[in-house]
Amino acid sequence: MKGRIIIDKEFCKGCKFCIEFCPKGTIHLSDDFNTKGYYYAEFSDGMECSGCAICAIMCPEAAVEVYRE
């Protein structure tokens, strides 16, 4: 199963839980800030997401949406 994720950068506080728990390592911390002043997580282009949704489960801000294909 393949998946993709969308991270709402304005909700993200850069806690890195999604990065730490992603089994595929498809998420990284951005070099940019959101409007609240946090580095936010973003999906790495060219990487494959398994659609496991661990990132969404671990996110305390509910900033991650997972779509399975």
Side-chain angles (χ1 to χ4, degrees):
M1 172 176 14
K2 285 188 169 184
R4 64 181 174 90
I5 62 171
I6 296 176
I7 301 171
D8 187 329
K9 69 180 185 179
E10 295 307 321
F11 286 148
C12 180
K13 291 186 178 175
C15 70
K16 302 181 191 172
F17 288 160
C18 59
I19 296 169
E20 184 176 333
F21 289 98
C22 177
K24 295 279 194 172
T26 60
I27 307 168
H28 69 276
L29 212 54
S30 173
D31 293 332
D32 296 325
F33 297 104
N34 61 17
T35 57
K36 295 177 186 172
Y38 296 106
Y39 290 109
Y40 54 90
E42 59 185 4
F43 184 67
S44 300
D45 291 332
M47 300 290 287
E48 283 196 30
C49 173
S50 66
C52 68
I54 293 173
C55 55
I57 293 167
M58 296 308 299
C59 181
E61 303 302 322
V64 182
E65 292 182 44
V66 179
Y67 297 93
R68 295 181 180 147
E69 299 172 1

